[in-house]
Amino acid sequence: MKKLLIINGPNLNLLGKRETDIYGDLSFEEFLEKLQDKYDWVQIDYFQSNVEGELIDKIQEVGYSYDGIILNAAAYTHTSVGIRDAVAAIKAPVIEVHITNTTKREKFRHRSYITPVARGLVMGFGLQSYELAVVSFIE
Amino acid sequence: MKKLLIINGPNLNLLGKRETDIYGDLSFEEFLEKLQDKYDWVQIDYFQSNVEGELIDKIQEVGYSYDGIILNAAAYTHTSVGIRDAVAAIKAPVIEVHITNTTKREKFRHRSYITPVARGLVMGFGLQSYELAVVSFIE
Amino acid sequence: MKKLLIINGPNLNLLGKRETDIYGDLSFEEFLEKLQDKYDWVQIDYFQSNVEGELIDKIQEVGYSYDGIILNAAAYTHTSVGIRDAVAAIKAPVIEVHITNTTKREKFRHRSYITPVARGLVMGFGLQSYELAVVSFIE
Amino acid sequence: MKKLLIINGPNLNLLGKRETDIYGDLSFEEFLEKLQDKYDWVQIDYFQSNVEGELIDKIQEVGYSYDGIILNAAAYTHTSVGIRDAVAAIKAPVIEVHITNTTKREKFRHRSYITPVARGLVMGFGLQSYELAVVSFIE
Amino acid sequence: MKKLLIINGPNLNLLGKRETDIYGDLSFEEFLEKLQDKYDWVQIDYFQSNVEGELIDKIQEVGYSYDGIILNAAAYTHTSVGIRDAVAAIKAPVIEVHITNTTKREKFRHRSYITPVARGLVMGFGLQSYELAVVSFIE
Amino acid sequence: MKKLLIINGPNLNLLGKRETDIYGDLSFEEFLEKLQDKYDWVQIDYFQSNVEGELIDKIQEVGYSYDGIILNAAAYTHTSVGIRDAVAAIKAPVIEVHITNTTKREKFRHRSYITPVARGLVMGFGLQSYELAVVSFIE
Amino acid sequence: MKKLLIINGPNLNLLGKRETDIYGDLSFEEFLEKLQDKYDWVQIDYFQSNVEGELIDKIQEVGYSYDGIILNAAAYTHTSVGIRDAVAAIKAPVIEVHITNTTKREKFRHRSYITPVARGLVMGFGLQSYELAVVSFIE
Amino acid sequence: MKKLLIINGPNLNLLGKRETDIYGDLSFEEFLEKLQDKYDWVQIDYFQSNVEGELIDKIQEVGYSYDGIILNAAAYTHTSVGIRDAVAAIKAPVIEVHITNTTKREKFRHRSYITPVARGLVMGFGLQSYELAVVSFIE
Amino acid sequence: MKKLLIINGPNLNLLGKRETDIYGDLSFEEFLEKLQDKYDWVQIDYFQSNVEGELIDKIQEVGYSYDGIILNAAAYTHTSVGIRDAVAAIKAPVIEVHITNTTKREKFRHRSYITPVARGLVMGFGLQSYELAVVSFIE
Amino acid sequence: MKKLLIINGPNLNLLGKRETDIYGDLSFEEFLEKLQDKYDWVQIDYFQSNVEGELIDKIQEVGYSYDGIILNAAAYTHTSVGIRDAVAAIKAPVIEVHITNTTKREKFRHRSYITPVARGLVMGFGLQSYELAVVSFIE
Amino acid sequence: MKKLLIINGPNLNLLGKRETDIYGDLSFEEFLEKLQDKYDWVQIDYFQSNVEGELIDKIQEVGYSYDGIILNAAAYTHTSVGIRDAVAAIKAPVIEVHITNTTKREKFRHRSYITPVARGLVMGFGLQSYELAVVSFIE
Amino acid sequence: MKKLLIINGPNLNLLGKRETDIYGDLSFEEFLEKLQDKYDWVQIDYFQSNVEGELIDKIQEVGYSYDGIILNAAAYTHTSVGIRDAVAAIKAPVIEVHITNTTKREKFRHRSYITPVARGLVMGFGLQSYELAVVSFIE
């Protein structure tokens, strides 16, 4: 059974509460449950933290044993060289996802430190972005 | 039956011949056939041109009747305001795809004129990028 | 009888259909007819193409025999050195026009390759921009 | 009867005296008289000052009662946020005009603070630029 | 009795008239009266001009005798080295205030020539910005 | 009774010990006590952390129940998109404060990620900056 | 017998007619004939188009069978990623030539997308630039 | 008898009062008197204003009758296109002077709009800068 | 006995495991032991964390009692103003070290926030960089 | 008999020894001999120095008597305004050559101070670049 | 008797020969003789070299014994940190001079490494620039 | 016996004389003697020149026979591509050293052309920087 980990960065714990016009009113936990049901022949774990270093810790922890990581580093996408280095250091392939199309937002959100070290990027599909990343590991 | 059009920009007609270490040795036509078979309850059409204006013509032509466009504008991604304007003008949602992770390549390939007007972006998965885009329209 | 040619660049064939809140719902052909009637002692011809090279071809073709060209290069305004070179090479004076005030839009629309080689610039008056350019040749 | 005001910025009082190879040898007063005669069913008033604040004062003064302002802010075009703010604050539409094609001159003349808040822009036609602006209000 | 002078730059004489959705519909004179009543043990004088040089003149005039200056240089905030030099030259401390949060507006409003030579900055509180500056002198 | 929270970012726990010529020799705790006494009809709580993610946690925690947050993100002001996103996501208004005038310091301190999403900014008044922010909530 | 193809980009069909003070008054066809006579033991073919995509088509067409391509992409030199990609994709070595010394002209002509993927560059020798490129293939 | 005019820009009326460690404690009037005595076979007039437009007025007024202008535009040196245009428009040669070496000060003082249109530049010699400019007209 | 602390930033806990072609296959713990043996008349302590704020905490904790800190902030070198501020605030001298020559890597690794507040910098010597820093405190 | 001088800049004396994978293993002296033999009806002299000023001296020395200079300024190409000025000052036409295609190397090698004042540029052909330059003088 | 040294940088030995329309047809030696005669109560020595290091040597040599240096570093003005450091290291005051107004020339000539460490700057007066510098030492 | 060469660039011959508050009052010769005594089982030679090309000559001369070079290129660090190329061309490893922490000084001193081709960098330790470099070769 394949093992995938979805990692969400800062403020994504507010999904469903915060700026629902942009992000929708589904909490990530509700969405995750549906995703796990639909793809129940894959193990899909989940981790969220607002602390950059804890995200690095987690990436290191699973980076040598899981089959893939689906990473939405949120705000740290644009500022964290540390997460980039962790992604580059591990063995597991990492797919970067974003709920929104970040190029439609502020200029500082146009640069991602993660993309050049990720295997692939999926963005702009709302929560479906996570599902497409899961599919990419299955097919 | 849903109607999708895959549009490929310049030099993608060389797929399978050109720089096969980067792009693989499958021609796009061979790949397309498999894709059509696998998702045979969707109509997947295909168009390729090296001429910027012909890409614009095609986008305009199908932009009010198809359910979606999967666009790999290749080199024009980084230089064509005209294709961007066509994408913005039509009704059909457009998914931007790239075979490679363009942020790993030359700096001028990091900017896409298309992304800010596209519905979503899928890149870095090889030819699977096209399939994920198809899936995004089905789910 | 003076001979003028109006040249429209990419996507302007969608006028009246596309983003009508920005560009109005009059097609260019309808507008042109009125313009020709009002200034019927001048010959006002019209050409539109989405292909950069065809615009260059046309500019070269009429550039030594017409009395003036009214050029809305649309998206190519911001990216085409080729059209600029054609404008600089010919004898006929060229007036650059834009329907909207491009400085109110995205940053990449603020630079025009055409303006430095055009005789004059008229922009922001909607379709009236074309009429003012015609007037500039008559007076 | 429509009321228009032409406002000229710094050094335009030297027209006809200064750099006549660039600006021609007609003084603005002589030109104005002809313009008023030709369009005598419109009231065309005139104001010139070298002081940025006086131009702001004048724009504020007529901005709620005139039908339009034709503004050549000259050097202040490129440096005055204050005039921009005045233009943005008033009710009367403002047409920006320039005698020369400023994009053919020094780089610092390529940016206009006024254009993004103006209704339209006419430039490069010599003194005819003013006339085209008048026409735009009449038609 | 402490003596303070509030200095307002260009277009602030339009407060209550101009863009009332941004600036509110209270004129500055009405606001000032309330402020003077509330803090009646301090002398609060007022000066407004659209002319950069007159603002410099006034800063020089009171700069050696008043206890403080509350300066909203408006548009000149972003362009005037002269006002900066006047602020740097005098003895009285200067508090820079802005009604709006200028970092939410156009990019050219993000730089202030005044801030590096001001004692403090208060911005974004609407007209209350002025009151907080007054409080800073009292406490 | 209104509830306010003062949040201090990294190294502000050293106040009174570190670089006392710049920041003064009062510890923040001593200052806070005086502030609470003076405005004892308002509840003023306090939180400090050197960890970016803990600041985000705290902002999220109080962001839907407090009447206001007074935030000195210190070094994170210039580097944290995560804190910015937290500020933008919550309901409580946030006032940004700085002890020093950051525009007098190194260039990288001139940009604040926080200001564009804050309600207002007070800076340069030493510890009084916090008091003015408190006043802004009371008045 | 070696086979070479000379490819000329937009507006070079005007050679001998356009700006003859810069480019000389010899048409390219006249020059080509002399070149073919002088080096008659080599096959020197010729292609010109104003359409970017047709240049790409041609490069692809001969790129696997000819011994070399001499490419003057003219205006597209500075804007076409598509031609660059075609040059990089094929087997035949490409020599970039320019009639004039482009570094003496406008700043946007200083960057060539072609040079980094070309075998060599010859520029500034007038039409002799083409001859030197031919010589480079012979020697 | 030669006629020279010294024009001083904003805040130079504070010389001798303001920042005397930088500018010295001699007022300009005292210095001027000595200068006039030493070079009494030349007419040396003087004008100072804090208003940009009045400086332009004065340059225009004497620009066709005086033998030379010695201009210290102070803060306007770095921001005034209007003064630059006035200097370029007149007949009298203009020498730009600065008391201090502006390249030792803030970055925005490194650019002068005046220098490219001035005959010469003298800076860094304290008040002697004016004298050297006078000498340049005499020799 | 002198007390030194070596502080390692994010991902350096992977030394010996990660990218061993770049960083070698010695874990930092193994290296440290040898270092402590060789310089056994100095106390060399060690701390590693992936959390920016914990690094700040530690720097503050030892910054007033240790004789020196040897800091390899790794990824935070390029993004952390907070660590910089901590280094600047404490009494103990800090030597910045890097295993690799960071100027040979990506552009964003060329800027260090730490260097301007460090006593010295040693980089490019592999793990020997740490030893040279130790030597600098002994000599 | 025509007189040409080949001038080589710094480190080109190492040709054949240094980085032979890039520059080949032929010393320049060996290559030169062959070149002189092949074109023995032209006088081809040679000069090499690592000192910028000696290159300037030599350019000045032959610049009024030789028929042409073939200049590979190597590293000074990118940094020497002095050599540029020498080239601009003399009568003899100068052809700039480079062995490698400098646009494929570090960014700082993309700018040449020499090209804008040279007659022509030949680069990327290995040592054949020198021969093509010789041919350009003969034909 | 005061001792001054005039130092001229690269290519100034060509004065009177090179580009005489810009620099005049007087050689520097002829000009120097006149200058020495006119100010014969001052010792005016002269040194010229095209070698950057020799200019540094000379500045060091006289920098502790002469009363002043008049330095026209020519091309090295814009590229030499070494000459700047030499000027900053010595005791004798240095006046920077230029024959032409360098701000009217290429952009790379607008920056001087020398000016920020020079006592004063005189430029644009032709050879008179040197004389004004001499006068500045005498008065 | 290992052979090392210390190479010092421009103005370092003034050590002990120049700006002693920055560089200390020890001449380099005095320091060198102590260094040679302390590490007398290594041969430590020394070379200094103000001429860029002589530094290149020396690097080439010893670059194939010495065990290491310790290079303080001083001002040329920031401007010399020629020295960089020499360092890259030779066999002996080069350690770059600086007495001061150059990132605390002017911006143009922040870039080193040498570092990317050096084996390691030691800076900010005063003259001890040289000793640490020596140690790096011994250990």
Side-chain angles (χ1 to χ4, degrees), chain E residues 13-66:
Chain E
N13 56 325
L14 294 180
L15 269 182
K17 268 186 287 187
R18 157 205 183 192
E19 297 160 284
T20 51
D21 52 325
I22 306 184
Y23 294 100
D25 54 7
L26 204 64
S27 79
F28 197 81
E29 283 71 15
E30 293 163 340
F31 165 74
L32 181 64
E33 212 169 312
K34 292 185 185 166
L35 194 69
Q36 286 164 330
D37 286 355
K38 185 163 175 190
Y39 299 91
D40 60 4
W41 66 97
V42 195
Q43 177 183 331
I44 304 176
D45 294 336
Y46 179 55
F47 178 77
Q48 194 275 338
S49 174
N50 291 329
V51 181
E52 183 180 3
E54 290 177 7
L55 296 167
I56 295 171
D57 287 346
K58 181 57 78 179
I59 290 167
Q60 291 183 359
E61 182 192 321
V62 305
Y64 299 90
S65 57
Y66 272 60

Side-chain angles (χ1 to χ4, degrees), chain I:
Chain I
M1 192 175 186
K2 272 196 176 166
K3 285 162 63 181
L4 304 178
L5 178 65
I6 294 174
I7 300 181
N8 269 347
N11 297 303
L12 288 168
N13 56 325
L14 294 180
L15 268 182
K17 268 186 285 186
R18 156 203 184 195
E19 297 161 284
T20 52
D21 52 323
I22 306 185
Y23 292 101
D25 54 7
L26 204 63
S27 79
F28 197 82
E29 284 70 16
E30 293 164 339
F31 165 74
L32 181 64
E33 212 169 314
K34 291 185 188 168
L35 194 69
Q36 286 165 330
D37 286 355
K38 184 162 175 192
Y39 299 90
D40 59 5
W41 67 97
V42 195
Q43 177 183 332
I44 304 177
D45 295 336
Y46 179 55
F47 178 77
Q48 193 275 338
S49 173
N50 291 330
V51 181
E52 183 180 6
E54 290 178 7
L55 296 167
I56 296 171
D57 287 346
K58 181 59 76 179
I59 290 167
Q60 291 184 358
E61 183 192 321
V62 305
Y64 299 90
S65 58
Y66 272 59
D67 295 289
I69 295 175
I70 295 165
L71 173 63
N72 182 344
Y76 291 139
T77 303
H78 318 297
T79 63
S80 176
V81 175
I83 294 177
R84 176 196 180 109
D85 284 356
V87 169
I90 61 171
K91 294 252 170 70
V94 174
I95 304 298
E96 181 184 359
V97 299
H98 296 288
I99 295 171
T100 60
N101 182 336
T102 60
T103 66
K104 291 183 179 167
R105 304 180 64 192
E106 300 95 328
K107 182 130 207 230
F108 61 78
R109 290 193 214 271
H110 296 194
R111 176 169 77 160
S112 165
Y113 277 115
I114 313 298
T115 317
V117 293
R119 184 187 156 211
L121 167 66
V122 181
M123 89 180 181
F125 299 88
L127 289 171
Q128 194 191 22
S129 296
Y130 293 90
E131 182 175 357
L132 293 173
V134 168
V135 171
S136 85
F137 280 115
I138 296 174
E139 303 285 325

Side-chain angles (χ1 to χ4, degrees), chain K residues 4-9 11-15 27-33 36 43-49 58 66 70 72 130:
Chain K
L4 303 178
L5 178 66
I6 294 174
I7 299 181
N8 268 347
N11 297 302
L12 288 168
N13 57 325
L14 294 179
L15 269 183
S27 79
F28 197 81
E29 284 71 15
E30 294 163 339
F31 164 75
L32 181 64
E33 211 169 314
Q36 287 165 329
Q43 176 183 333
I44 304 177
D45 294 336
Y46 177 55
F47 178 78
Q48 193 275 339
S49 173
K58 181 58 78 179
Y66 271 59
I70 294 165
N72 183 345
Y130 292 91

